Structures are given as structure tokens and as C-alpha cells.
DNA sequence: AATTCCGGTTGATCTACGTCAAAGCGACTT
DNA sequence: AAGTCGCTTTGACGTAGATCAACCGGAATT
């Protein structure tokens, strides 16, 4: 079984520090066999649109590698990102024929798609899958609510710090230096995408990034590589009172 | 069977214009019987706190009558509402021991609670319940994402208009005059609660309400009774491009 | 090596909304 | 009738972040 299958199915992550989000982490062999029959892979280049809001969507999918975004757009062009999909995250809604948001590849992207009809059938037969999906959806709902606090009440500086710590936490390379409290990672988003995530303009994002750099909270190498000397300090800047963003 | 049971179970709403959200709209008699055994009712007065964030929570529940809010608070007191629970909405997360948000009664409130342990067991046995819960959670996720667009990108005036149209849409009294495009309803929230919903201050809420009144978009009778002469105009003010906020 | 392009930075200015403060108003208490 | 309490409105003023505009710098193109 190729690597991405393992990742998708959640069996290579015994030491994964974050809650694992793949669809069928607890499926048995027979169920896996059935999923095997209805799945196929699709690749997208960075910047490519996966689906437009309103399009017919006859599959559900899981991100294998790369990053995708969900965004909403108003008639006059104002845009708000409403979802950031990292590897193992799930897209698509059983029981809805059309996509509700634009899905875009932020980086080169590989998705594992399941044909919707048979997936839904599998869901009615195997309680595991529905329950796992419920768990994942509840996690997403929690993330959305954390995000709402960010959008509604945080300052620009706090928003940036929050986003950086969210990305750092979900990025595997985090593990490299975690003992010392220092972290380094590559930003998968442009300044504009960050702005769409945070409900800011790209200019404000740029200014606040510079400010965090000036104040020694982060280091910048080029435009994308972020070095965080003290992760706790970053989290403090983010203004979070939660237990690091992962409840339970 | 008393009225609230009927409402909870979703059997008195054949003509309900909004998507019905009760837990067990599709349960069979046997399942209902089991739910019957693990449920009890609780009442709260307006303003009373149902649960504090972090508290042990050994039940899940469904709102029977009244309105409850979910809010998050930062250390320095900034507050953001992240959920508004109307009758038939569900609170609580199977599989999590503690509450993640403050739950407060915005009006006098009756909730139908299910003891968590047996509810979870019922869920593993009856696919209906898990699937219904998944559906409801996905609806909530959609609402949260619509809300994120509001918080991140809408102006104060648009935010107010959006909130009013959301409440109007979910309020039963809406039906009374819908043929003419006119609607009237009572606001269940104080200005401060509206502000917490919208990521604004209560002063800005008050000013924008006055502005909408001055411009004839709404009429105010006292502080709480809202009359909307032309619902489409209100929706236009809200800046929504969606199909009225209810996706398929 | 020059040109273009794209994403990013920085500066000057504007404005929507927040902050602080005072006063209105209906409901309840004495 | 007067006082007080909670909620709301309104005004004067301040500011964080938006807007508009110029410029920068690396990578790809010629």
C-alpha cells in the first residue's frame, strides 16, 4: 500500500501529536476493502480551483498532501476564507449535491476522492464511518468557533500570531526543535491568503509581520520561512486562553 | 405526550419553513422508547448560566423553548458569541467530558437533557441518531462559516441587517405576514448580546439600529419589537449573495 | 543584461468603528 | 411621587486598520 494510503487511513500516525482526522482511522479490513473500491486520486497545481461554490459535487475527499482553502466571496468581491484543509482533512458533505464554497489548491495538492453515492451507502451500513465523520465535523466546528473569536475580537497583531501558531502546531516540522521551545516552518499561504483567513487586508498583514519581526517574536528568512525562537511567547501574543487550541 | 416532546421529536413541524433540527426526527418507536428513559427536563431563567466553559458536562441536550447562547471569553474580558441556540437546536458533544464554551440562557429556557453515557451507547447502536447528529453538526458548521464571513468582512450595518434576517427567518411569527413581504418579531437579545454576536460594541449596534430605522429598513416599537416592511430589502442590506442562508 | 512579473513592503492619508461620557426611559421599589 | 436600576440612545473624540500609491527584489523571459 503506497504511503498516501497509509496516511489517509490513519495508520502511520501512532506518534502524531495532533488529533488524527482521517476518515477511517478505526475501520476494519472489510470496510477498508470497500473504501478501496470507490476511491481515486486527483492532483491539482498550486492556485488551481478544485471546485467552485455551487458546482455539482459527486465526491467527498480527503487531503493527502498539500493545502487547500475554502473561501466565500460576496458579489462585490470581498473574500473570507472559511476553511483551511491540511493533509488528512476532509471536504464535502454527504447529503448535499452542490459545493457550498470555493475550494482552491493553495499549494500543489493531492486529494483522495470517494465517489459520493457509494460512500453514503457505506456510511449507512457502517456506524464507524458516520461516527468518525461526526467526530471530525465536531472538531471542525470547534476550529470554526475559535476562528470566530479571532475574527470578531482579536487585534491584527493577535490574529497574525494566532495564525502562525495554528500553522506551526499542525506542521510536522514542528517536532524538530520542540524541546527548546523553538520552531521553524514554511508559510503555505501568500500575504493575501493570510489576509483572507484573518479578515484583514494584505497590507495590514505585511505590516504586522514586520512588527512581530522587529519585536523579536518571529524571524523571517525570505518571505515564507518563519523561525519562532519561543513558541510560548508567540502563543501569548495570540491572546489565547485555551489549552493550546486542542480541547479534550 | 406533552407538547415539548412533540416539538423535540420533530413531529409537529410538517409546515415548518426552516430545516428541522431535532435529534430524532427519524427515530422509530423503539429508539424513541430508549431516549424516553434517559431524558429529563431542566429550566433556566433568563440570564442564568447553564454551564461554564471547562465544567464537567455529563449530558447532551436539545432546546425545547427559549434561547441560549454559546460564548467564548478572553482573559481580558473580550467576549464573542459563537453559537445561538433556538428551539430544537442541540448542545453538547458526545465524546468530550467538559464544556468548551459558556452556555447562557438568553431568555427563559427549557432544555431536554439526555444523560451522556447512555446517549452515546444509543448512538453506537442506532445509525439513525449518529447520522441525524452528523447532519445537524454539518448545518451548524455551515452556519458558523456564514458567520465567519459576517465577522471578517461585513460592515456594521450589514452585520445588523444579517442578524435581523437570521432571527426573522428562524422565528415562527414570520409566517404571519410573509405573503406581503412584511415581517415582525421580537428581538430575543439585548444590544450587548447582539454586539457579542456581531463582533461590535453595543454603542455601534445601537447607532446602526437607529440608522436602519431612520432609513425605513426597519421599524422599532419599544426597544425589542422589530417590524420589517420589506424583508427582501433587509436581506439586500445584509449583503448576502446566498440563497437566503439555507443551502439545499 | 535588460524586461517583465508577481508577491511583498512601506508610507501617507482617510474613515469606520471603538472609547468615554452623559443623559433618556420604562419598570420596580419605597 | 421620588428614587434607583438596567438597558438604551446619543454625542464628542480617538485610533486601528483600510485605502491609495509608490517602490522593492527575486525569478522567469527575452
Amino acid at each position: 500500500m503506497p504511503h498516501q494510503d497509509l496516511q489517509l487511513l490513519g495508520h502511520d500516525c501512532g506518534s502524531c501529536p495532533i488529533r488524527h482526522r482521517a476518515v477511517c482511522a478505526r475501520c476494519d479490513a472489510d470496510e477498508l476493502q470497500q473504501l478501496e473500491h470507490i476511491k481515486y486520486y486527483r492532483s491539482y497545481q498550486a492556485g488551481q480551483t478544485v471546485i467552485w461554490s455551487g458546482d455539482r459535487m459527486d465526491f467527498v475527499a480527503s487531503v493527502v498532501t498539500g493545502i487547500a482553502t475554502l473561501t466565500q466571496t460576496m458579489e462585490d468581491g470581498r473574500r473570507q476564507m472559511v476553511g483551511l484543509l491540511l493533509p488528512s482533512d476532509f471536504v464535502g458533505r454527504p447529503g448535499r449535491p452542490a459545493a457550498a464554497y470555493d475550494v482552491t489548491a493553495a499549494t500543489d495538492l493531492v486529494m483522495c476522492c470517494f465517489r459520493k453515492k457509494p460512500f453514503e451507502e457505506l456510511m449507512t451500513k457502517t456506524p464507524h464511518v458516520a461516527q468518525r465523520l461526526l467526530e471530525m465535523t465536531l472538531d471542525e466546528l470547534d476550529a470554526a468557533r475559535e476562528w470566530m473569536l479571532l475574527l470578531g475580537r482579536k487585534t491584527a497583531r493577535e490574529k497574525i500570531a494566532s495564525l502562525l501558531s495554528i500553522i506551526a502546531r499542525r506542521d510536522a516540522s514542528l517536532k524538530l526543535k520542540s524541546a527548546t521551545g523553538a520552531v521553524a516552518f514554511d508559510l503555505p499561504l501568500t500575504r493575501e491568503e493570510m489576509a483572507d483567513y484573518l479578515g484583514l487586508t494584505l497590507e495590514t498583514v505585511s505590516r504586522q509581520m514586520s512588527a512581530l519581526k522587529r519585536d523579536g517574536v518571529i524571524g523571517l528568512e525570505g518571505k515564507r520561512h518563519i523561525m519562532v525562537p519561543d513558541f510560548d511567547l508567540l502563543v501569548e501574543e495570540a491572546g489565547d486562553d485555551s489549552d493550546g487550541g486542542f480541547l479534550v
Side-chain angles (χ1 to χ4, degrees), chain A:
Chain A
M1 200 182 275
H3 173 68
Q4 59 264 44
D5 286 48
L6 289 169
Q7 181 172 23
L8 174 74
L9 301 176
H11 295 145
D12 67 341
C13 287
S15 62
C16 186
I18 59 163
R19 191 205 313 282
H20 195 80
R21 302 170 74 94
V23 181
C24 38
R26 289 191 308 238
C27 291
D28 64 25
D30 181 48
E31 288 157 8
L32 290 182
Q33 196 56 38
Q34 291 186 57
L35 280 167
E36 209 54 40
H37 284 135
I38 61 172
K39 84 178 190 197
Y40 56 97
Y41 292 96
R42 293 219 48 183
S43 303
Y44 302 87
Q45 293 173 352
Q48 221 181 329
T49 296
V50 178
I51 327 159
W52 295 102
S53 171
D55 279 4
R56 225 190 117 51
M57 191 171 169
D58 48 7
F59 61 91
V60 297
S62 197
V63 174
V64 178
T65 58
I67 292 183
T69 64
L70 300 186
T71 57
Q72 273 187 309
T73 308
M74 295 171 68
E75 301 96 326
D76 61 6
R78 281 177 281 175
R79 285 162 55 87
Q80 175 65 51
M81 197 185 295
V82 297
L84 184 62
L85 302 173
L86 304 186
S88 89
D89 280 342
F90 188 81
V91 221
R93 165 162 185 169
R96 172 178 302 160
Y101 315 99
D102 297 335
V103 182
T104 312
T107 63
D108 288 346
L109 179 70
V110 177
M111 303 223 295
C112 175
C113 307
F114 301 94
R115 289 184 294 117
K116 193 154 83 181
K117 197 78 174 296
F119 186 84
E120 284 168 359
E121 280 159 18
L122 181 64
M123 237 181 63
T124 63
K125 280 180 293 188
T126 59
H128 273 148
V129 175
Q131 270 166 223
R132 182 78 191 110
L133 220 43
L134 175 59
E135 230 173 82
M136 288 167 59
T137 307
L138 284 163
D139 284 347
E140 263 190 279
L141 187 56
D142 283 335
R145 286 172 164 163
E146 198 71 37
W147 200 337
M148 284 168 56
L149 176 65
L150 177 151
L151 290 171
R153 296 302 187 190
K154 289 190 180 178
T155 65
R157 172 184 263 244
E158 288 169 336
K159 286 179 175 183
I160 301 282
S162 299
L163 174 56
L164 295 179
S165 63
I166 287 169
I167 293 175
R169 248 195 291 265
R170 289 212 49 193
D171 191 319
S173 62
L174 164 92
K175 283 179 275 187
L176 296 176
K177 311 184 75 178
S178 59
T180 70
V183 196
F185 59 95
D186 283 308
L187 264 182
L189 303 176
T190 65
R191 298 290 184 264
E192 188 175 12
E193 285 165 334
M194 292 175 70
D196 285 343
Y197 186 110
L198 300 170
L200 297 172
T201 59
L202 66 92
E203 291 95 330
T204 300
V205 170
S206 180
R207 272 186 254 273
Q208 295 297 334
M209 292 282 287
S210 301
L212 286 174
K213 180 182 174 187
R214 172 173 39 73
D215 299 345
V217 181
I218 61 171
L220 277 171
E221 199 171 88
K223 284 114 190 345
R224 296 298 195 91
H225 191 73
I226 310 286
M227 289 157 298
V228 183
D230 179 358
F231 190 71
D232 290 341
L233 178 58
L234 182 65
V235 171
E236 194 172 315
E237 289 279 354
D240 284 331
D241 53 350
S242 77
D243 52 324
F246 286 96
L247 296 151
V248 173

